[in-house]
Amino acid sequence: MQFNTKTIHGGQQPDKAYGAVMPPIYQTTTYAQSAPGEHQGYEYSRAKNPTRHALENAFASIENGNFGMAFGSGLAAIDAILKLLKPGDEVISTTDLYGGTYRLFSQVFEDFGIRFHYVDLNDASKIEKYFSVNTRLIWIETPTNPMLNIIDIKTIASAAQKHNVLFAVDNTFATPYLQRPLDLGADIVMHSVTKYLGGHSDLVMGALIVKNSELANRLYFIQNASGAICGPQDSFLALRGIKTLHVRMQRHCENAEKVAHFLKGHPQVDMVYWPGFKDHPNHRIAKKQMDDYGGMISFSVKGKRMEEAISVVRKLQLFTLAESLGGVESLAGHPATMTHGSVPKIEREKIGITDSLIRLSVGIEDIDDLIADLEQALQ
Ligand SMILES: *Cc1c(COP(=O)(O)O)cnc(C)c1O
């Protein structure tokens, strides 16, 4: 089955009760048993719920995995992965991580005795020098947030295999429409479903997808034992969102490409970060591992001062000033004061998050309206 068919049919069957084409919202805690322990596969909705189960099958299908798991948020999904580890274990991760991931690593799991190494993996072969006997997990995002750096998934996967270390990829920015990390050798794919998979800015949810059944069983155990699941209503919304993922992503990519080129030629704009540019440092890797370049763009305004960037985002009318990304509507954010406000200024600037940086999640509105909005705000 091709990807564009999987988004609609992957892992799905008409409901067994009445043939409903969309999985019904099974808003129930528990399930009648005919005798103790005799049931139809569902006993209690923390462990398994039919609507969530249908969604988990859809996750597995679109990422070319065998097993999917849905969680109450993206961070709950990451939390489940970290619970595979023990005190003394080490994790290799990257410098420009999603802020919430960094906070979970540094302010929660450090206290449980897990050590994190944040390294620059723009040259993926450099990872070799960070392995120790205690390394258990490699955690990357690509493209990264908000600098849109690209990390070579295949190179990291072969290093992970060589050292027998788990390799997880946060595929939130790319989505499986653009990039399928399990096919490239990753062990776990994670999503903030909140973003492109949901696609309509109406839910908060996380997902994990794996191929290996033993790993899946450990994660299902943690999902049930820790209990950070999502409810059936949100599962239904996410399923509905995934059905249009391919058409939305196609338009996000087309619009972002036009916005990126518009910004690059604009006299008020300094740097534009978008992996589709030939002069992006890892354009060749992006071209190799992605089918297109996605809907996210960051850029800095000339002058390098906070006030200029803030004045631009305040003047935007169609682009809503808000956190989050990946919905049908265009959003703008100011990382230094919003998503990365908790990262110290020196640390921020080291990875390129200057005070004049603006991040755009380019939506699927008419491109002429989006460009006109940016033009008036930049003037
Ligand atoms: C939003 C986001 C997360 C966290 O997901 P939540 O659903 O907000 O918990 C993790 N990684 C990336 C790249 C994100 O954009």
Side-chain angles (χ1 to χ4, degrees), residues 24-74:
I25 300 169
Y26 281 96
Q27 192 76 50
T28 186
T29 310
T30 189
Y31 306 81
Q33 306 194 3
S34 51
E38 272 179 40
H39 52 76
Q40 298 174 47
Y42 300 93
E43 321 167 62
Y44 186 66
S45 279
R46 171 163 28 74
K48 214 166 160 195
N49 170 282
T51 318
R52 196 178 87 223
H53 193 206
L55 172 65
E56 291 175 334
N57 288 339
F59 288 153
S61 171
I62 59 175
E63 281 287 1
N64 293 346
N66 297 320
F67 306 94
M69 284 140 245
F71 294 85
S73 70

Side-chain angles (χ1 to χ4, degrees), residues 63-249:
E63 281 287 1
N64 293 346
N66 297 320
F67 306 94
M69 284 140 245
F71 294 85
S73 70
L75 287 174
I78 303 174
D79 177 85
I81 297 176
L82 291 167
K83 285 176 177 158
L84 296 167
L85 308 182
K86 293 192 173 55
D89 287 351
E90 293 182 19
V91 178
I92 302 173
S93 192
T94 61
T95 40
D96 56 340
L97 276 180
Y98 174 73
T101 305
Y102 177 73
R103 183 175 57 197
L104 179 65
F105 288 179
S106 61
Q107 294 186 49
V108 179
F109 280 95
E110 285 261 354
D111 288 349
F112 289 100
I114 294 166
R115 281 195 62 200
F116 295 87
H117 302 275
Y118 304 99
V119 302
D120 178 351
L121 291 177
N122 283 306
D123 177 356
S125 63
K126 286 210 180 117
I127 195 168
E128 279 299 335
K129 62 181 181 209
Y130 300 106
F131 284 99
S132 82
V133 289
N134 296 320
T135 308
R136 293 285 175 276
L137 173 71
I138 302 167
W139 178 272
I140 69 160
E141 284 168 32
T142 178
T144 66
N145 177 38
M147 299 313 297
L148 285 311
N149 287 318
I150 300 290
I151 298 172
D152 189 336
I153 297 175
K154 243 185 175 161
T155 301
I156 305 277
S158 51
Q161 273 151 20
K162 191 172 119 194
H163 293 268
N164 199 20
V165 164
L166 274 179
F167 174 31
V169 177
D170 181 338
N171 205 27
T172 301
F173 270 37
T175 85
Y177 177 80
L178 299 175
Q179 161 179 294
R180 289 151 306 276
L182 296 178
D183 290 351
L184 299 170
D187 300 302
I188 307 175
V189 166
M190 174 264 158
H191 277 279
S192 171
V193 180
T194 316
K195 317 293 168 52
Y196 287 107
L197 297 196
H200 297 77
S201 304
D202 54 7
L203 57 85
V204 174
M205 187 188 289
L208 298 181
I209 303 101
V210 303
K211 277 191 164 156
N212 178 286
S213 64
E214 199 186 317
L215 179 58
N217 287 336
R218 285 164 69 204
L219 289 166
Y220 281 128
F221 176 82
I222 293 166
Q223 182 193 35
N224 182 45
S226 288
I229 47 123
C230 56
Q233 296 264 358
D234 283 355
S235 299
F236 178 90
L237 285 173
L239 266 167
R240 169 202 266 236
I242 288 171
K243 285 181 192 288
T244 56
L245 177 66
H246 54 309
V247 281
R248 287 186 286 109
M249 285 308 293

Side-chain angles (χ1 to χ4, degrees), residues 337-352:
T337 54
M338 294 167 70
T339 48
H340 291 70
S342 60
V343 183
K345 188 175 158 92
I346 312 172
E347 294 300 316
R348 265 200 327 257
E349 301 215 324
K350 259 192 228 160
I351 54 174

Side-chain angles (χ1 to χ4, degrees), residues 351-373:
I351 54 174
I353 307 174
T354 58
D355 286 348
S356 63
L357 192 78
I358 295 171
R359 189 189 78 177
L360 300 179
S361 172
V362 181
I364 64 171
E365 300 95 337
D366 190 282
I367 185 62
D368 293 340
D369 290 331
L370 294 181
I371 295 214
D373 191 31

